[in-house]
Amino acid sequence: MSSSKKRRVLANDLSVLQTCVAKTVKSKPKSKGYIEGSILRIKLENILTYDSVEFHTGPFLNVVIGPNGTGKSTIVCAICLGLAGKTSWLGRASQASDFIKYGCNRGKIELELFNPDGENYTIQRDINKNNTSEWFVNGRKASLKAVEETVARLNIQVGNLCQFLPQEKVADFAKMSKEELLENTEKAVGPPDMYSNHQKLKEARTNARQHEQSYNNLHDHMEQEKQKNARLEQDVKNYEERQKFLGTIKIMEMKRPWVEYEEKRKLFQEMKQEKEKKAEEWKQAKREHAPMRQKLEDLKQKKDNVDAQMKSKTNSLKDSATRAQAITDDVQSLTDKLQEVQDELTFRQQEEVSRRKKIFDQKRQHEALQNELTNIDETQDYKPAIDRVSGECRQVNREMSKIQQDGETIRREVSDLRRQIESNQNELKSIQNVDNRRLETLRSRHRQTYDAVMWLRENQDKFRAKIHPPIMTCVNVRNPTMAKYIENHISFNDMRAFVCEDTQDFNLFMDLMRDKENLKINAVKMPSQSSESFRSRYPITRYGQYGFKHYLKDVFTCPEAVMRYLCAQYRVHDIPVGDKSTYDRVANVIRECPELRLFFTENHKYTVKVSVYDQNVSSRNSFLKDASLLSASVDHTARERELVQEIQFNQKNLQNKEAQYNNLQQKSQELDRKMNQLREENKKLRQKKDQKMRLMSQIESKKQSIHNAEMAAINMQMEEEKAARKIRDINLKKCKCSQHLQDILKKCLQLGLEKVRLSLTHAEVNRNYTRMEEDIRDQTQALQLLERQFEETKERCHIVRDTAKQLYEVAKKATNTGPNEELSQDLRHSFELYPNSLEELDAAIHEQRARADCTFQIDESAVREYKHRKKEINRLEREVDEKKRNLENFQKDIEEAKRLWYEPLKELFANINTNFGFFFKCLKCAGEVDLFEPENKEDYEKYGVRIKVKYRDSEGLRELTAHHQSGGERSVATVLYMMALQELARCPFRCVDEINQGMDPINERKVFELVVQTVCTKSASQYFLLTPKLLPDLEYADNMTVLCVFNGPFMLNHKEWRLRKFIDTRNEIQDVEDEEN
């Protein structure tokens, strides 16, 4: 076997090891070169790729090398976790338990740190699967806080990327902002208080901004308040002046009730005196009135006696006059009876004259009738003529009856034809109104589709081809019972869909409806293949045994475009419709006709599905709902044609029958005229035949009338004698009544004279009584006037007294004077300043109120606001002064803190720049580092580190960014910056994982050699450099340590590892390879 082949086999063996071991090439180090906190030993158990490993490190540069995935980064993770670092600093996992090796429940990390003053520090961390950890320091259990304090005291900062840069954070270091890099630099190489001073400055600056903002806000607020008060100041002065006027008005208004009370009190005293005076006058008038009252009583008694006599005379006169009137009435009655007797006699005389004249007239009529009877020709016979006319009448009557019968028959036929035509027309109209009924149904179910139909009827000419209205208006079912199958199969959305024959029409129609008319409708396009191309798989006769009579397509008609769509979308040509018997054979249909996936029985719809996995057949049925959209739609095309033909035929028959009926009507009218002529002729013949008998009857009637009139003659002599006797009796009675009336009239005259004399006496007494009564009335009125004046004065006096009391109470209330208190002296003195009369006081109040009204009136709340704001302004002025002093003191403190932070920082960056420039100069490049200062020097949070580099002579210095430099160039700058830091500050160790990734070989070699020279000669800190590879022929230092990580299935446990034996074996293999070559 060749040596090259052996090396490949060995490399393959090393690449598949499962147990990882690390071993140093030197013996256990001594304490020479280590500083406090340096790592002496690392031991891991069940951590990521390691089952168990323990190795020692060197005091200077430790290069950890091994292929990717062997566990180099695990060492970095162990250092971080073992020194109380957070998992977020590593960027690999969120929990510490994630670092336990897969399949294990517990992991262990043990780090030994150098202690120059005694026993080394041994920190152990046991990580459990439940994400809990146990800590031990020098074998004793400790808390996390105690470990953190120990690590901090040793100045170990595993969270600072300038000291500890794991593989996953290499990119984060390059991505750090200027500000973040400054903070990490301060932590890494700055004095102990530099970072804290920086943080205090930032916090102080933030606080200063807040203080300044607070001061400015407070000052602005104070100025705003002052401006507000300045605007209100004049108004407030006016308000105060107005309040002064109102105060004066208030005092005068308080005095006014007292003035009113005083005036009422004086008025009461005056009215009291007037009341006493009126009382005396009233009493004097009453004493003078008493004698006249007695005289009036005497006159009244005399007047009553005369009145009684007058009443007696008047009654007697009335009785006499009543009797006289009665006798006068009797005389008048007798006169009326006399006139009646005379009138009766005159009536009898006139009646007798009339009777005689009537007899004379009847005798003349009798003679005339007798003469007419003598002149009649008795030889002429009228019977044949009468029989002839009667026969003709009967013949005409028979013809008229026949015509009436024929006319009635024709009339009934015409009526039947008209009813038939009307019925046919109604049926035809009903058929033609099916579309309207369906449109009404559409309007109630979907108004916007109905509106679109109305629009389409008026705008069909806008489209190239036919656009069919909604399917529900186009489908005509031949049998109404079939409508339910169509409605249960076709969705309502498609039933209300328009069908377009042209694609451009479809797009135009939908744009117009949705965008212009704002109507939400459905529309579909007509498939390209004809409806005849959609044929059922088998003829319907194949399924006849199951009760299927026809396919769904056969039960309705519709336009070609609609039929195409229904065949393509709903396969109506391939869905059979059965009857009642089909329901009983459903199982046979499903079993024997697997091609039927959907069919109808009389009242059910069946859907059959076959599983694509196990070919199981399942069916689902649903009860058919009654038709509601197509219930009015039946195929009436043939019936419509039949009705039109029937109407036309019946209309022709109607015209013929009406012509026949009109002819019969004309014949009937001619026969009516002939019948009337015959009747008139018959009447005349009969009158001539019956004339003699009529005359004889009239002559006999006249004879009887003459006889009756002669028998009714009146005896006028006897009537005249009877009337004379009645007149004589009446005249005797009238004479007696007249004599009696004369006696009564004489008595009435005597009573009248006596009444006249008594009336004169009565008038004298009444005159005296009236005069006395008027005198007493006048005196009584004067007395009553005095009494009324007295009462009124008394009432007014009481009112004034009550008013005065009320005013007194009001006045006390107005001045807040108690019931048993007197008006205070202060108020008395104040009242003396103002008028004492009510009129003058009201004028003064009016004047003051006018002045107050002339003063600008401001809302009292604004005055309160002004006063409150004035107090607030005073408070704000004090607070602004205090804040100003505090801000000045705070600014002085910031300036002092800045001096303590800024000057050491400038000196630090001068040193960093020197080292950084030196390292770049060694690479034959240029680089510098300076402190980036913002425009506002007080924005301490914006201070940062600015790195400028130049890798080529043709370029100038450029700031280190991801846009200007490549990833390898940024890695070089990162390594050199960390090296520049380690020259300035002592920390126990630094760690960089795979920082050479992305570098070109030239820069990688230069950087490695520079690291070796710097760390192994100048640096006093321990350094860990992890890399998966190294370039050949590198320069190594004697005091550096190389840690090689091996892995493979046949690796020994690190406790059984023997370096000497491994070297001897390796030399033997090399010898064999040399011999073969």
Side-chain angles (χ1 to χ4, degrees), residues 259-386:
V259 173
E260 284 184 313
Y261 162 69
E262 186 62 26
E263 291 185 354
K264 288 293 180 183
R265 188 184 66 79
K266 293 179 180 179
L267 180 61
F268 171 70
Q269 296 297 332
E270 294 174 358
M271 294 189 71
K272 184 177 180 182
Q273 296 175 0
E274 184 180 357
K275 181 190 73 169
E276 294 174 353
K277 180 180 179 182
K278 291 291 182 182
E280 184 61 30
E281 291 177 354
W282 179 50
K283 290 178 182 178
Q284 180 63 31
K286 283 174 68 176
R287 288 193 294 268
E288 295 176 355
H289 181 67
M292 295 181 68
R293 177 64 63 181
Q294 184 62 41
K295 290 181 180 179
L296 182 63
E297 290 296 331
D298 294 342
L299 289 173
K300 185 175 183 302
Q301 186 175 1
K302 186 176 181 180
K303 176 178 173 294
D304 292 340
N305 293 334
V306 175
D307 286 340
Q309 293 175 10
M310 281 291 294
K311 186 176 181 181
S312 176
K313 292 294 182 182
T314 301
N315 291 336
S316 298
L317 186 60
K318 282 182 180 181
D319 291 340
S320 298
T322 301
R323 288 197 300 271
Q325 184 62 41
I327 294 171
T328 304
D329 293 340
D330 290 343
V331 171
Q332 184 62 40
S333 177
L334 290 173
T335 303
D336 293 338
K337 287 181 180 181
L338 179 62
Q339 186 63 39
E340 288 176 3
V341 171
Q342 292 175 349
D343 291 341
E344 179 68 20
L345 179 61
T346 303
F347 174 74
R348 290 293 182 181
Q349 292 172 349
Q350 291 175 354
E351 187 178 11
E352 180 61 21
V353 172
S354 177
R355 182 185 66 79
R356 290 175 182 178
K357 185 177 180 299
K358 181 179 180 182
I359 292 172
F360 176 75
D361 291 337
Q362 288 179 350
K363 284 180 179 181
R364 286 177 59 193
Q365 292 174 3
H366 178 268
E367 289 176 359
L369 291 172
Q370 196 69 36
N371 294 332
E372 186 178 356
L373 180 61
T374 304
N375 295 328
I376 292 176
D377 185 8
E378 297 181 359
T379 60
Q380 187 176 359
D381 187 7
Y382 294 101
K383 188 174 182 304
I386 292 173

Side-chain angles (χ1 to χ4, degrees), residues 355-529:
R355 182 185 66 79
R356 290 175 182 178
K357 185 177 180 299
K358 181 179 180 182
I359 292 172
F360 176 75
D361 291 337
Q362 288 179 350
K363 284 180 179 181
R364 286 177 59 193
Q365 292 174 3
H366 178 268
E367 289 176 359
L369 291 172
Q370 196 69 36
N371 294 332
E372 186 178 356
L373 180 61
T374 304
N375 295 328
I376 292 176
D377 185 8
E378 297 181 359
T379 60
Q380 187 176 359
D381 187 7
Y382 294 101
K383 188 174 182 304
I386 292 173
D387 292 339
R388 178 185 59 77
V389 173
S390 298
E392 290 180 0
C393 285
R394 286 192 295 272
Q395 180 63 31
V396 172
N397 196 24
R398 282 193 297 271
E399 292 178 2
M400 290 181 65
S401 297
K402 185 176 183 306
I403 289 173
Q404 287 179 354
Q405 291 175 358
D406 294 342
E408 184 64 24
T409 301
I410 294 174
R411 190 184 63 77
R412 285 196 298 270
E413 291 177 356
V414 169
S415 180
D416 292 340
L417 286 172
R418 285 177 176 171
R419 283 196 299 272
Q420 184 65 31
I421 291 172
E422 184 179 2
S423 176
N424 291 340
Q425 288 176 341
N426 290 336
E427 185 176 356
L428 181 61
K429 188 181 296 183
S430 176
I431 292 172
Q432 293 172 347
N433 285 339
V434 167
D435 289 342
N436 293 334
R437 291 201 299 274
R438 282 185 288 180
L439 282 177
E440 287 299 319
T441 302
L442 178 62
R443 180 165 65 175
S444 63
R445 296 287 296 274
H446 202 274
R447 181 57 185 264
Q448 293 192 352
T449 302
Y450 171 83
D451 294 340
V453 172
M454 296 296 101
W455 182 91
L456 181 61
R457 287 184 175 182
E458 298 177 357
N459 299 275
Q460 181 69 52
D461 56 347
K462 293 184 177 181
F463 305 100
R464 299 169 53 185
K466 173 74 172 176
I467 295 182
H468 298 274
I471 294 176
M472 63 175 287
T473 66
C474 299
V475 172
N476 289 316
V477 185
R478 294 190 171 91
N479 186 342
T481 59
M482 296 296 176
K484 62 182 179 181
Y485 302 115
I486 300 173
E487 289 192 28
N488 281 273
H489 183 57
I490 303 174
S491 68
F492 177 69
N493 283 338
D494 277 345
M495 291 292 280
R496 64 182 180 85
F498 294 79
V499 181
C500 302
E501 296 183 358
D502 184 78
T503 301
Q504 293 183 4
D505 288 347
F506 172 80
N507 297 329
L508 175 60
F509 180 63
M510 294 304 291
D511 291 341
L512 289 172
M513 290 298 99
R514 293 180 179 175
D515 299 337
K516 185 176 180 181
E517 300 298 327
N518 197 23
L519 296 175
K520 296 181 180 179
I521 62 164
N522 285 349
V524 297
K525 290 184 288 188
M526 176 187 72
S528 58
Q529 58 269 44

